[in-house]
Amino acid sequence: ARETVFNKALTTWENSYDGRRKEPVFLPAKLPIVLMLGIEGIAVGMATKVLPHNFCELLRGQIKILQGKPFRILPDFQHGGIVDVSEYDLGRGKVKVRAKLESDGEKRIVIREIPYSTTTESLIASIESAVQKNKVKISTINDFTTDKVEIELILPRGIYAEDVIQQLYAYTDCEVSISSNIIAIEDRRPVVWSVNDLLRYLTNQLKEQIRAELKYELGKLEDKHHWMTLEQIFIEKKVYKDLEKVKSEKGLKDTVYKGMAPYKKKFIREMDDDDVKRLLALPIRRISAFDINKHRKDVGDVLDAIKALKSKLRNLTKTTITYLEDILERYGKQYKRRTKVMGFESVDKRAVASQNIKLNYDKKSGFFGSNVKGK
């Protein structure tokens, strides 16, 4: 976050609500945070819901945008689970998310991952509610969750895991449907976005942020080059010796301007009063120990750095791609996809419900049904 979200020098500040502190108008983030973390909120007449996406996939998508290649990004949830994105429609539709269920034999089901927007407590509550309504047959629920989800479901006699898994998807929060509606502010107006268009916008924003950082660093280096040039002339041409007989402050300033004037063509920019103050403040130790050769080497290093920065600015798209590749190289291993993408068919609730109905046939009357006593 310190590396990619905050840059004090390039942050616009304003007074806090009580005027006692300064706070940022916005943070100059270089990550697509709104798509990475997801967000939801509601305002007058409109609501927004952005689903979270995978960090690495977003950055790879940005690289492809800069390269002019097609790309695709899909939601990825910290909870894990399984997601069906067939109706996602670039963030303007919905997804279905399922818990990860494992059958340990015929009489035991373990929930290892839960759907986004649920908790272990809410998921267990939905299962208990379904059991009370006689929609799911479960005898015992044990929650062994620690840092990892582990909810154990024990099944009663005559009930088998294969059937119950379908019941859980049909009647509990083991499967949830989540709508996506991306509304974000652009130029102080709400705009409906597709996930691809929003990532393109954020990628252009990243390029401008990198441009601003490069220009800021270039300005600092050019200021340093300017000062080092003045310092070299001031000491090498012995301009400081003309100050020995001057007694007034104004006289000192005028003497520096006069002594430096013959070398004006070597200046990086015009010398100002602040530069003169710095020259007058140079200590004798600094002047007497001045190493011309070392100084020239230092100036050469600064010029090389300036040249490198200007090259990066000229090739800003390539510079941005290199930046994204570096971030991926250093942090990508920490952000593996957690949610498995796969299509799955909707559960037929009628078919699942019929599994809980005991049907009998009465030979004598010829009736067949759930309220018939078979013989």
Side-chain angles (χ1 to χ4, degrees), residues 299-343:
V299 170
D301 292 341
V302 171
L303 288 173
D304 288 342
I306 289 173
K307 184 178 178 181
L309 282 177
K310 288 182 175 179
S311 176
K312 288 181 177 180
L313 278 166
R314 285 194 301 271
N315 302 282
L316 190 58
T317 297
K318 183 180 178 181
T319 301
T320 307
I321 290 173
T322 302
Y323 170 79
L324 290 168
E325 288 174 341
D326 176 62
I327 293 291
L328 275 170
E329 177 69 25
R330 290 187 290 125
Y331 298 109
K333 293 178 182 178
Q334 302 176 40
Y335 297 94
K336 295 179 180 178
R337 169 166 276 277
R338 298 195 179 193
T339 307
K340 185 177 180 180
V341 179
M342 62 180 292

Tab-separated table of all heavy atoms in Angstrom, residues 299-343:
chain	number	residue	atom	x	y	z
A	299	VAL	N	28.104	14.802	-11.083
A	299	VAL	CA	27.278	15.490	-12.083
A	299	VAL	C	26.954	14.551	-13.233
A	299	VAL	O	25.823	14.521	-13.741
A	299	VAL	CB	28.000	16.752	-12.602
A	299	VAL	CG1	27.266	17.330	-13.821
A	299	VAL	CG2	28.099	17.808	-11.513
A	300	GLY	N	27.944	13.756	-13.658
A	300	GLY	CA	27.716	12.783	-14.722
A	300	GLY	C	26.655	11.768	-14.353
A	300	GLY	O	25.811	11.399	-15.191
A	301	ASP	N	26.674	11.322	-13.084
A	301	ASP	CA	25.655	10.364	-12.612
A	301	ASP	C	24.264	10.986	-12.654
A	301	ASP	O	23.279	10.335	-13.033
A	301	ASP	CB	25.979	9.915	-11.185
A	301	ASP	CG	27.242	9.056	-11.115
A	301	ASP	OD1	27.643	8.515	-12.170
A	301	ASP	OD2	27.808	8.943	-10.015
A	302	VAL	N	24.179	12.261	-12.262
A	302	VAL	CA	22.890	12.958	-12.295
A	302	VAL	C	22.400	13.096	-13.731
A	302	VAL	O	21.215	12.877	-14.026
A	302	VAL	CB	23.004	14.344	-11.617
A	302	VAL	CG1	21.727	15.156	-11.856
A	302	VAL	CG2	23.246	14.189	-10.122
A	303	LEU	N	23.301	13.429	-14.646
A	303	LEU	CA	22.920	13.572	-16.055
A	303	LEU	C	22.444	12.236	-16.640
A	303	LEU	O	21.498	12.201	-17.437
A	303	LEU	CB	24.101	14.115	-16.868
A	303	LEU	CG	24.445	15.595	-16.619
A	303	LEU	CD1	25.729	15.970	-17.343
A	303	LEU	CD2	23.305	16.497	-17.059
A	304	ASP	N	23.098	11.148	-16.241
A	304	ASP	CA	22.662	9.817	-16.702
A	304	ASP	C	21.251	9.505	-16.193
A	304	ASP	O	20.420	8.952	-16.925
A	304	ASP	CB	23.637	8.738	-16.214
A	304	ASP	CG	24.972	8.788	-16.948
A	304	ASP	OD1	25.029	9.405	-18.035
A	304	ASP	OD2	25.959	8.218	-16.431
A	305	ALA	N	20.997	9.853	-14.924
A	305	ALA	CA	19.665	9.613	-14.343
A	305	ALA	C	18.610	10.459	-15.055
A	305	ALA	O	17.492	9.988	-15.314
A	305	ALA	CB	19.683	9.921	-12.849
A	306	ILE	N	18.958	11.706	-15.385
A	306	ILE	CA	18.023	12.580	-16.122
A	306	ILE	C	17.724	11.994	-17.495
A	306	ILE	O	16.570	11.955	-17.937
A	306	ILE	CB	18.612	14.003	-16.249
A	306	ILE	CG1	18.597	14.706	-14.880
A	306	ILE	CG2	17.826	14.824	-17.266
A	306	ILE	CD1	19.298	16.046	-14.868
A	307	LYS	N	18.749	11.521	-18.153
A	307	LYS	CA	18.573	10.914	-19.482
A	307	LYS	C	17.665	9.697	-19.408
A	307	LYS	O	16.787	9.502	-20.260
A	307	LYS	CB	19.943	10.521	-20.040
A	307	LYS	CG	19.905	9.971	-21.454
A	307	LYS	CD	21.311	9.639	-21.951
A	307	LYS	CE	21.263	9.040	-23.358
A	307	LYS	NZ	22.633	8.692	-23.841
A	308	ALA	N	17.855	8.862	-18.369
A	308	ALA	CA	17.030	7.657	-18.204
A	308	ALA	C	15.568	8.028	-17.961
A	308	ALA	O	14.653	7.406	-18.519
A	308	ALA	CB	17.563	6.813	-17.049
A	309	LEU	N	15.332	9.055	-17.141
A	309	LEU	CA	13.957	9.485	-16.857
A	309	LEU	C	13.279	10.046	-18.112
A	309	LEU	O	12.104	9.765	-18.368
A	309	LEU	CB	13.950	10.547	-15.757
A	309	LEU	CG	14.128	10.038	-14.318
A	309	LEU	CD1	14.180	11.211	-13.352
A	309	LEU	CD2	13.007	9.098	-13.924
A	310	LYS	N	13.998	10.809	-18.889
A	310	LYS	CA	13.426	11.354	-20.117
A	310	LYS	C	13.091	10.245	-21.109
A	310	LYS	O	12.090	10.320	-21.824
A	310	LYS	CB	14.394	12.360	-20.751
A	310	LYS	CG	14.477	13.677	-19.976
A	310	LYS	CD	15.409	14.674	-20.656
A	310	LYS	CE	15.389	16.019	-19.934
A	310	LYS	NZ	16.307	16.999	-20.556
A	311	SER	N	13.928	9.213	-21.130
A	311	SER	CA	13.653	8.059	-21.998
A	311	SER	C	12.380	7.348	-21.562
A	311	SER	O	11.556	6.944	-22.385
A	311	SER	CB	14.844	7.097	-21.972
A	311	SER	OG	14.571	5.931	-22.733
A	312	LYS	N	12.199	7.201	-20.253
A	312	LYS	CA	10.981	6.571	-19.730
A	312	LYS	C	9.741	7.388	-20.069
A	312	LYS	O	8.683	6.832	-20.387
A	312	LYS	CB	11.096	6.393	-18.220
A	312	LYS	CG	12.069	5.305	-17.790
A	312	LYS	CD	12.102	5.170	-16.275
A	312	LYS	CE	13.029	4.038	-15.857
A	312	LYS	NZ	13.068	3.891	-14.374
A	313	LEU	N	9.868	8.709	-20.013
A	313	LEU	CA	8.732	9.572	-20.344
A	313	LEU	C	8.384	9.482	-21.829
A	313	LEU	O	7.210	9.504	-22.200
A	313	LEU	CB	9.050	11.017	-19.969
A	313	LEU	CG	8.838	11.389	-18.496
A	313	LEU	CD1	9.492	12.717	-18.172
A	313	LEU	CD2	7.348	11.429	-18.163
A	314	ARG	N	9.400	9.377	-22.675
A	314	ARG	CA	9.143	9.250	-24.110
A	314	ARG	C	8.471	7.926	-24.450
A	314	ARG	O	7.695	7.835	-25.402
A	314	ARG	CB	10.452	9.379	-24.897
A	314	ARG	CG	10.987	10.793	-25.000
A	314	ARG	CD	12.069	10.891	-26.060
A	314	ARG	NE	13.186	9.998	-25.783
A	314	ARG	CZ	14.247	10.318	-25.053
A	314	ARG	NH1	14.340	11.532	-24.523
A	314	ARG	NH2	15.220	9.462	-24.857
A	315	ASN	N	8.784	6.890	-23.678
A	315	ASN	CA	8.219	5.553	-23.909
A	315	ASN	C	7.324	5.173	-22.736
A	315	ASN	O	7.522	4.154	-22.074
A	315	ASN	CB	9.343	4.518	-24.071
A	315	ASN	CG	10.284	4.857	-25.202
A	315	ASN	OD1	9.971	4.635	-26.363
A	315	ASN	ND2	11.440	5.416	-24.873
A	316	LEU	N	6.313	6.027	-22.488
A	316	LEU	CA	5.507	5.876	-21.274
A	316	LEU	C	4.720	4.568	-21.242
A	316	LEU	O	4.574	3.959	-20.179
A	316	LEU	CB	4.546	7.065	-21.151
A	316	LEU	CG	3.806	7.184	-19.822
A	316	LEU	CD1	4.785	7.294	-18.659
A	316	LEU	CD2	2.876	8.391	-19.834
A	317	THR	N	4.218	4.134	-22.389
A	317	THR	CA	3.468	2.864	-22.420
A	317	THR	C	4.368	1.707	-22.018
A	317	THR	O	3.992	0.865	-21.182
A	317	THR	CB	2.885	2.624	-23.826
A	317	THR	OG1	1.960	3.660	-24.128
A	317	THR	CG2	2.155	1.281	-23.871
A	318	LYS	N	5.567	1.662	-22.584
A	318	LYS	CA	6.527	0.606	-22.240
A	318	LYS	C	6.920	0.696	-20.764
A	318	LYS	O	7.048	-0.317	-20.069
A	318	LYS	CB	7.764	0.719	-23.127
A	318	LYS	CG	8.790	-0.376	-22.899
A	318	LYS	CD	9.989	-0.205	-23.817
A	318	LYS	CE	11.032	-1.283	-23.535
A	318	LYS	NZ	12.235	-1.114	-24.401
A	319	THR	N	7.096	1.925	-20.274
A	319	THR	CA	7.449	2.133	-18.862
A	319	THR	C	6.347	1.595	-17.945
A	319	THR	O	6.625	0.962	-16.917
A	319	THR	CB	7.662	3.631	-18.587
A	319	THR	OG1	8.708	4.116	-19.422
A	319	THR	CG2	8.030	3.870	-17.128
A	320	THR	N	5.093	1.846	-18.324
A	320	THR	CA	3.959	1.379	-17.515
A	320	THR	C	3.880	-0.143	-17.520
A	320	THR	O	3.621	-0.757	-16.479
A	320	THR	CB	2.643	1.974	-18.053
A	320	THR	OG1	2.768	3.395	-18.145
A	320	THR	CG2	1.482	1.649	-17.128
A	321	ILE	N	4.115	-0.755	-18.673
A	321	ILE	CA	4.114	-2.224	-18.755
A	321	ILE	C	5.220	-2.796	-17.869
A	321	ILE	O	4.998	-3.761	-17.124
A	321	ILE	CB	4.300	-2.683	-20.214
A	321	ILE	CG1	3.057	-2.354	-21.041
A	321	ILE	CG2	4.580	-4.190	-20.282
A	321	ILE	CD1	3.209	-2.618	-22.525
A	322	THR	N	6.395	-2.195	-17.928
A	322	THR	CA	7.521	-2.651	-17.094
A	322	THR	C	7.177	-2.542	-15.614
A	322	THR	O	7.493	-3.428	-14.811
A	322	THR	CB	8.789	-1.832	-17.405
A	322	THR	OG1	9.108	-1.973	-18.789
A	322	THR	CG2	9.972	-2.308	-16.570
A	323	TYR	N	6.515	-1.447	-15.245
A	323	TYR	CA	6.106	-1.255	-13.843
A	323	TYR	C	5.153	-2.370	-13.402
A	323	TYR	O	5.323	-2.963	-12.326
A	323	TYR	CB	5.430	0.107	-13.694
A	323	TYR	CG	4.755	0.293	-12.347
A	323	TYR	CD1	5.501	0.618	-11.224
A	323	TYR	CD2	3.380	0.101	-12.202
A	323	TYR	CE1	4.892	0.762	-9.985
A	323	TYR	CE2	2.764	0.244	-10.972
A	323	TYR	CZ	3.528	0.577	-9.872
A	323	TYR	OH	2.931	0.697	-8.649
A	324	LEU	N	4.145	-2.670	-14.225
A	324	LEU	CA	3.177	-3.715	-13.887
A	324	LEU	C	3.844	-5.085	-13.806
A	324	LEU	O	3.533	-5.882	-12.908
A	324	LEU	CB	2.058	-3.734	-14.933
A	324	LEU	CG	1.107	-2.527	-14.911
A	324	LEU	CD1	0.241	-2.509	-16.165
A	324	LEU	CD2	0.229	-2.539	-13.668
A	325	GLU	N	4.753	-5.356	-14.717
A	325	GLU	CA	5.464	-6.650	-14.696
A	325	GLU	C	6.315	-6.774	-13.438
A	325	GLU	O	6.418	-7.869	-12.855
A	325	GLU	CB	6.334	-6.779	-15.948
A	325	GLU	CG	5.530	-7.007	-17.221
A	325	GLU	CD	6.375	-6.995	-18.477
A	325	GLU	OE1	7.510	-6.457	-18.432
A	325	GLU	OE2	5.910	-7.505	-19.521
A	326	ASP	N	6.901	-5.674	-13.001
A	326	ASP	CA	7.712	-5.694	-11.774
A	326	ASP	C	6.846	-5.969	-10.549
A	326	ASP	O	7.215	-6.766	-9.674
A	326	ASP	CB	8.434	-4.353	-11.622
A	326	ASP	CG	9.218	-4.262	-10.324
A	326	ASP	OD1	10.142	-5.076	-10.137
A	326	ASP	OD2	8.891	-3.403	-9.480
A	327	ILE	N	5.680	-5.307	-10.477
A	327	ILE	CA	4.763	-5.541	-9.359
A	327	ILE	C	4.312	-7.014	-9.342
A	327	ILE	O	4.255	-7.660	-8.284
A	327	ILE	CB	3.543	-4.612	-9.449
A	327	ILE	CG1	3.961	-3.154	-9.247
A	327	ILE	CG2	2.470	-4.997	-8.430
A	327	ILE	CD1	4.409	-2.821	-7.851
A	328	LEU	N	3.987	-7.543	-10.518
A	328	LEU	CA	3.574	-8.950	-10.617
A	328	LEU	C	4.686	-9.886	-10.174
A	328	LEU	O	4.444	-10.881	-9.484
A	328	LEU	CB	3.163	-9.280	-12.051
A	328	LEU	CG	1.725	-8.962	-12.449
A	328	LEU	CD1	1.551	-9.122	-13.957
A	328	LEU	CD2	0.744	-9.856	-11.711
A	329	GLU	N	5.899	-9.573	-10.574
A	329	GLU	CA	7.047	-10.420	-10.229
A	329	GLU	C	7.266	-10.466	-8.721
A	329	GLU	O	7.540	-11.514	-8.142
A	329	GLU	CB	8.295	-9.883	-10.932
A	329	GLU	CG	9.581	-10.625	-10.603
A	329	GLU	CD	9.617	-12.035	-11.163
A	329	GLU	OE1	8.913	-12.311	-12.163
A	329	GLU	OE2	10.337	-12.872	-10.580
A	330	ARG	N	7.098	-9.314	-8.056
A	330	ARG	CA	7.400	-9.245	-6.623
A	330	ARG	C	6.246	-9.676	-5.726
A	330	ARG	O	6.469	-10.187	-4.633
A	330	ARG	CB	7.831	-7.817	-6.260
A	330	ARG	CG	9.203	-7.476	-6.826
A	330	ARG	CD	9.735	-6.153	-6.345
A	330	ARG	NE	9.009	-5.021	-6.905
A	330	ARG	CZ	8.440	-4.088	-6.184
A	330	ARG	NH1	8.463	-4.138	-4.871
A	330	ARG	NH2	7.816	-3.078	-6.770
A	331	TYR	N	5.007	-9.475	-6.181
A	331	TYR	CA	3.873	-9.742	-5.289
A	331	TYR	C	2.895	-10.786	-5.813
A	331	TYR	O	2.011	-11.221	-5.083
A	331	TYR	CB	3.097	-8.439	-5.026
A	331	TYR	CG	3.903	-7.363	-4.341
A	331	TYR	CD1	4.307	-6.219	-5.033
A	331	TYR	CD2	4.277	-7.487	-3.004
A	331	TYR	CE1	5.054	-5.233	-4.411
A	331	TYR	CE2	5.018	-6.506	-2.378
A	331	TYR	CZ	5.408	-5.374	-3.079
A	331	TYR	OH	6.140	-4.416	-2.460
A	332	GLY	N	3.028	-11.154	-7.080
A	332	GLY	CA	2.027	-12.021	-7.705
A	332	GLY	C	1.817	-13.358	-7.023
A	332	GLY	O	0.693	-13.868	-6.968
A	333	LYS	N	2.878	-13.932	-6.478
A	333	LYS	CA	2.768	-15.265	-5.856
A	333	LYS	C	1.858	-15.266	-4.632
A	333	LYS	O	1.357	-16.314	-4.231
A	333	LYS	CB	4.161	-15.768	-5.475
A	333	LYS	CG	5.056	-16.055	-6.675
A	333	LYS	CD	6.433	-16.515	-6.243
A	333	LYS	CE	7.333	-16.758	-7.456
A	333	LYS	NZ	8.703	-17.152	-7.040
A	334	GLN	N	1.639	-14.109	-4.051
A	334	GLN	CA	0.784	-14.024	-2.855
A	334	GLN	C	-0.704	-13.971	-3.195
A	334	GLN	O	-1.540	-14.061	-2.308
A	334	GLN	CB	1.144	-12.770	-2.052
A	334	GLN	CG	2.595	-12.701	-1.615
A	334	GLN	CD	2.902	-11.397	-0.926
A	334	GLN	OE1	2.105	-10.879	-0.139
A	334	GLN	NE2	4.062	-10.835	-1.212
A	335	TYR	N	-1.032	-13.822	-4.486
A	335	TYR	CA	-2.431	-13.586	-4.857
A	335	TYR	C	-2.910	-14.580	-5.906
A	335	TYR	O	-3.308	-14.213	-7.003
A	335	TYR	CB	-2.596	-12.146	-5.367
A	335	TYR	CG	-2.281	-11.112	-4.323
A	335	TYR	CD1	-1.009	-10.559	-4.233
A	335	TYR	CD2	-3.238	-10.715	-3.397
A	335	TYR	CE1	-0.707	-9.620	-3.259
A	335	TYR	CE2	-2.951	-9.784	-2.423
A	335	TYR	CZ	-1.686	-9.233	-2.349
A	335	TYR	OH	-1.380	-8.310	-1.380
A	336	LYS	N	-2.851	-15.848	-5.552
A	336	LYS	CA	-3.361	-16.873	-6.456
A	336	LYS	C	-4.893	-16.835	-6.464
A	336	LYS	O	-5.526	-16.460	-5.482
A	336	LYS	CB	-2.872	-18.252	-6.006
A	336	LYS	CG	-1.357	-18.420	-6.109
A	336	LYS	CD	-0.915	-19.786	-5.641
A	336	LYS	CE	0.601	-19.928	-5.750
A	336	LYS	NZ	1.062	-21.249	-5.248
A	337	ARG	N	-5.471	-17.232	-7.583
A	337	ARG	CA	-6.940	-17.274	-7.685
A	337	ARG	C	-7.497	-18.236	-6.646
A	337	ARG	O	-7.016	-19.358	-6.499
A	337	ARG	CB	-7.364	-17.690	-9.095
A	337	ARG	CG	-8.853	-18.008	-9.207
A	337	ARG	CD	-9.317	-18.086	-10.625
A	337	ARG	NE	-9.624	-16.767	-11.161
A	337	ARG	CZ	-10.779	-16.153	-10.968
A	337	ARG	NH1	-11.744	-16.721	-10.247
A	337	ARG	NH2	-11.005	-14.962	-11.473
A	338	ARG	N	-8.529	-17.811	-5.938
A	338	ARG	CA	-9.131	-18.639	-4.893
A	338	ARG	C	-10.439	-19.279	-5.332
A	338	ARG	O	-10.809	-20.343	-4.846
A	338	ARG	CB	-9.377	-17.799	-3.643
A	338	ARG	CG	-8.090	-17.246	-3.043
A	338	ARG	CD	-8.315	-16.748	-1.633
A	338	ARG	NE	-7.083	-16.248	-1.051
A	338	ARG	CZ	-6.934	-15.990	0.244
A	338	ARG	NH1	-7.950	-16.187	1.072
A	338	ARG	NH2	-5.799	-15.531	0.718
A	339	THR	N	-11.160	-18.599	-6.222
A	339	THR	CA	-12.470	-19.105	-6.636
A	339	THR	C	-12.336	-19.840	-7.964
A	339	THR	O	-11.812	-19.292	-8.934
A	339	THR	CB	-13.473	-17.944	-6.781
A	339	THR	OG1	-13.477	-17.179	-5.571
A	339	THR	CG2	-14.866	-18.479	-7.040
A	340	LYS	N	-12.843	-21.052	-8.005
A	340	LYS	CA	-12.774	-21.851	-9.226
A	340	LYS	C	-13.906	-21.456	-10.162
A	340	LYS	O	-15.072	-21.393	-9.761
A	340	LYS	CB	-12.873	-23.339	-8.880
A	340	LYS	CG	-12.694	-24.259	-10.073
A	340	LYS	CD	-12.726	-25.720	-9.635
A	340	LYS	CE	-12.545	-26.652	-10.828
A	340	LYS	NZ	-12.584	-28.077	-10.415
A	341	VAL	N	-13.560	-21.183	-11.417
A	341	VAL	CA	-14.564	-20.798	-12.411
A	341	VAL	C	-15.015	-22.035	-13.169
A	341	VAL	O	-14.207	-22.744	-13.761
A	341	VAL	CB	-13.995	-19.767	-13.406
A	341	VAL	CG1	-15.044	-19.403	-14.457
A	341	VAL	CG2	-13.526	-18.515	-12.673
A	342	MET	N	-16.301	-22.290	-13.120
A	342	MET	CA	-16.859	-23.406	-13.874
A	342	MET	C	-18.360	-23.202	-14.039
A	342	MET	O	-19.002	-22.538	-13.219
A	342	MET	CB	-16.575	-24.751	-13.187
A	342	MET	CG	-17.175	-24.906	-11.798
A	342	MET	SD	-16.793	-26.506	-11.044
A	342	MET	CE	-17.718	-27.622	-12.095
A	343	GLY	N	-18.917	-23.757	-15.086
A	343	GLY	CA	-20.358	-23.671	-15.277
A	343	GLY	C	-21.061	-24.788	-14.523
A	343	GLY	O	-20.540	-25.887	-14.389
